[in-house]
């Protein structure tokens, strides 16, 4: 359901929950769950190895488990995501998958293979309640939060495709995960933190991806940024700022009506100080809206001499939107002004734009 302009939805609608999955649980909880099923606790370790190391959910292939045990243990490996449609571009090295969840909700994930890394962009909510007017997901409203395992399974599915050699470039592994798909990750805090732990814990506890390869994005939920800093997880924080002044950001990022630019940046600097991790400032360049040189100067003054990197994103078009990307000359001028202030800045590759798989384009349309 679409939202009224400026409306924010923090609490997801109450809906039936997906079945409990191995990836929802810590190793201690897996052992307890396996014991409840009448099996020895060490079976949890075996099951975890199959899922997180061998990337399999087919209990028939788990020949190190007794046949009688396999049937019972399959209860901890329910099917969570059903692929509906897959689109590829960049010679098959960018793949967007539309998934149907158990209740019919639709989400999308994107796999991007580069010469030196493989990045998975994952969704953390079906829809989003933050209502940014230039984002396709934000205009759709919030359907529900995703479970920890539903989030993790997007990465496992990508890892499975890479391991099987289905992505051009030969067998590979996921090295980076960005929570920049559908949803506001910090509005689904508990499940997202659970997913991050599953991603970074070494096998068989999790997938063993470096925490430094994980990026959690937020539009600026200040209390949750503070909580994240205390988790002991050195993941990168990406702050979707999009405007350096409150007047414009109130419109572009409605959460700004609750936590202003100064408060959000203070929370980001506190996160950097605690984790020693450079904060990424995400800034979608929108023609004649936020791409003025004076705004680049203001942004430069706000972030210079901080542990920060500015990631400029040429706005990706969404159907029916009045917003469009900045002119190339205005983009270059914006970069120059930031560089003048000594701010590290890059312009993001618009990978996936042709398949509506780039930033701000994920709408989970089943067409």
């Amino acid at each position: 359901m679409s939202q009224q302009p400026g409306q924010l939805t923090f609490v997801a609608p109450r809906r039936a929950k997906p079945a409990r999955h191995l990836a929802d649980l810590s190793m201690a909880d897996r052992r307890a769950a396996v014991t409840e099923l009448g099996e020895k606790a060490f079976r949890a370790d075996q099951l975890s190895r199959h899922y997180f190391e061998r990337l399999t959910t087919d209990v028939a292939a788990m020949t190190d488990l007794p046949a009688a045990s396999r049937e019972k243990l399959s209860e901890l490996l329910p099917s969570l995501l059903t692929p509906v449609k897959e689109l590829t571009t960049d010679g098959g090295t960018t793949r967007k998958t539309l998934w149907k969840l158990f209740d019919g909700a639709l989400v999308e994930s994107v796999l991007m293979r580069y010469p030196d890394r493989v990045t998975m962009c994952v969704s953390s909510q079906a829809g989003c309640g933050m209502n940014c007017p230039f984002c396709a997901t934000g205009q759709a409203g919030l359907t529900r939060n995703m479970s920890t395992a539903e989030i993790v399974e997007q990465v496992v599915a990508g890892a499975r495709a890479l391991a099987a050699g289905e992505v051009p470039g030969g067998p590979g592994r996921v090295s980076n995960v960005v929570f920049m798909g559908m949803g506001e990750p910090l509005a689904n805090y508990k499940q997202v933190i659970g997913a991050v732990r599953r991603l970074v814990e070494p096998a068989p506890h999790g997938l063993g991806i470096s925490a430094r390869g994980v990026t959690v994005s937020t539009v600026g939920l200040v209390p949750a940024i503070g909580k994240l800093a205390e988790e002991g997880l050195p993941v990168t924080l990406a702050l979707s700022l999009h405007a350096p002044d409150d007047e414009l950001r109130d419109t572009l990022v409605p959460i700004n009506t609750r936590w202003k630019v100064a408060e959000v940046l203070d929370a980001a600097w506190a996160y950097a100080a605690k984790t020693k991790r450079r904060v990424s400032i995400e800034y979608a360049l929108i023609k004649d809206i936020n791409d003025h040189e004076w705004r680049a100067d203001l942004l430069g003054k706000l972030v210079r001499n901080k542990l920060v990197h500015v990631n400029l994103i040429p706005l990706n078009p969404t159907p029916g939107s009045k917003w469009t990307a900045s002119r190339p000359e205005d983009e270059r001028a914006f970069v120059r002004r930031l560089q003048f202030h000594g701010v590290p800045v890059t312009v993001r590759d618009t990978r996936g734009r042709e398949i509506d798989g780039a930033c701000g384009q994920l709408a989970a349309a089943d067409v």
Side-chain angles (χ1 to χ4, degrees):
M1 184 180 295
S2 60
Q3 306 179 98
Q4 297 301 310
Q7 178 186 343
L8 295 164
T9 306
F10 290 98
V11 180
R14 294 183 68 86
R15 293 175 64 135
K17 292 183 177 179
R20 181 179 65 166
H21 188 283
L22 181 82
D24 286 312
L25 309 172
S26 67
M27 184 59 88
D29 289 338
R30 288 175 219 167
R31 289 174 183 142
V34 163
T35 305
E36 286 168 21
L37 294 171
E39 293 293 320
K40 295 277 198 302
F42 74 87
R43 298 289 183 209
D45 299 60
Q46 291 177 297
L47 201 60
S48 297
R49 252 178 232 293
H50 282 291
Y51 183 73
F52 286 110
E53 281 187 20
R54 294 169 195 151
L55 307 172
T56 183
T57 55
D58 179 9
V59 291
M62 301 177 188
T63 52
D64 58 338
L65 299 173
S69 301
R70 290 179 221 162
E71 188 65 33
K72 284 190 277 184
L73 293 174
S74 67
E75 188 178 311
L76 291 173
L77 292 171
S79 176
L80 296 177
L81 307 180
T82 303
V84 175
K85 182 174 59 174
E86 187 167 278
L87 297 173
T88 64
T89 186
D90 302 316
T93 57
T94 300
R95 295 161 49 122
K96 181 177 81 164
T97 307
L98 175 67
W99 303 102
K100 183 171 285 188
L101 308 182
F102 82 99
D103 55 356
L106 297 170
V107 299
E108 290 177 324
S109 62
V110 184
L111 182 152
M112 294 162 282
R113 186 171 204 164
Y114 301 89
D116 61 339
R117 68 190 188 282
V118 178
T119 298
M120 283 291 310
C121 178
V122 299
S123 294
S124 55
Q125 296 178 308
C128 183
M130 297 298 102
N131 207 7
C132 300
F134 56 89
C135 175
T137 312
Q139 293 311 289
L142 178 61
T143 300
R144 71 166 172 89
N145 286 331
M146 294 177 70
S147 70
T148 287
E150 286 174 327
I151 298 168
V152 172
E153 181 64 9
Q154 295 170 77
V155 182
V156 171
R160 203 176 282 135
L162 284 161
E166 295 172 12
V167 182
R173 63 185 297 276
V174 176
S175 56
N176 298 73
V177 178
V178 295
F179 284 77
M180 294 182 177
M182 300 176 69
E184 161 55 48
L186 296 189
N188 186 19
Y189 189 87
K190 183 180 177 184
Q191 284 70 30
V192 164
I193 293 301
V196 171
R197 293 195 186 282
R198 294 305 98 75
L199 296 178
V200 305
E201 287 167 345
H205 295 255
L207 283 170
I209 296 169
S210 169
R212 291 175 176 270
V214 177
T215 297
V216 176
S217 174
T218 180
V219 291
L221 277 64
V222 167
I225 294 172
K227 279 177 69 177
L228 183 64
E230 300 298 326
E231 292 284 353
L233 292 165
V235 299
T236 298
L237 177 72
L239 174 61
S240 296
L241 193 68
H242 305 312
D245 54 306
D246 287 323
E247 183 180 11
L248 179 58
R249 195 168 190 263
D250 282 351
T251 300
L252 292 184
V253 188
I255 194 74
N256 202 72
T257 59
R258 184 163 301 201
W259 293 292
K260 297 299 185 185
V261 169
E263 292 175 87
V264 173
L265 289 177
D266 282 348
W269 309 147
Y271 183 87
K274 180 76 175 180
T275 62
K276 307 297 188 288
R277 299 289 290 145
R278 185 171 67 165
V279 171
S280 179
I281 300 291
E282 310 290 302
Y283 196 105
L285 284 171
I286 310 172
K287 178 184 172 186
D288 297 333
I289 300 295
N290 66 349
D291 60 355
H292 315 94
E293 287 192 55
W294 71 264
R295 282 197 161 93
D297 274 321
L298 178 53
L299 178 61
K301 290 171 185 173
L302 288 174
V303 307
R304 66 187 175 191
N305 302 321
K306 300 292 186 182
L307 193 58
V308 71
H309 176 269
V310 174
N311 197 4
L312 298 176
I313 308 163
L315 186 76
N316 292 301
T318 56
S321 175
K322 63 182 180 179
W323 318 91
T324 190
S326 299
R327 304 171 191 87
E329 59 270 26
D330 292 336
E331 178 185 294
R332 289 192 294 268
F334 206 95
V335 169
R336 281 197 302 272
R337 295 313 302 163
L338 289 175
Q339 290 173 333
F340 171 80
H341 292 283
V343 176
V345 55
T346 51
V347 179
R348 181 181 292 172
D349 172 17
T350 55
R351 203 56 113 91
R353 177 180 280 187
E354 305 86 349
I355 54 172
D356 290 341
C359 275
Q361 291 186 311
L362 300 187
D366 185 9
V367 294

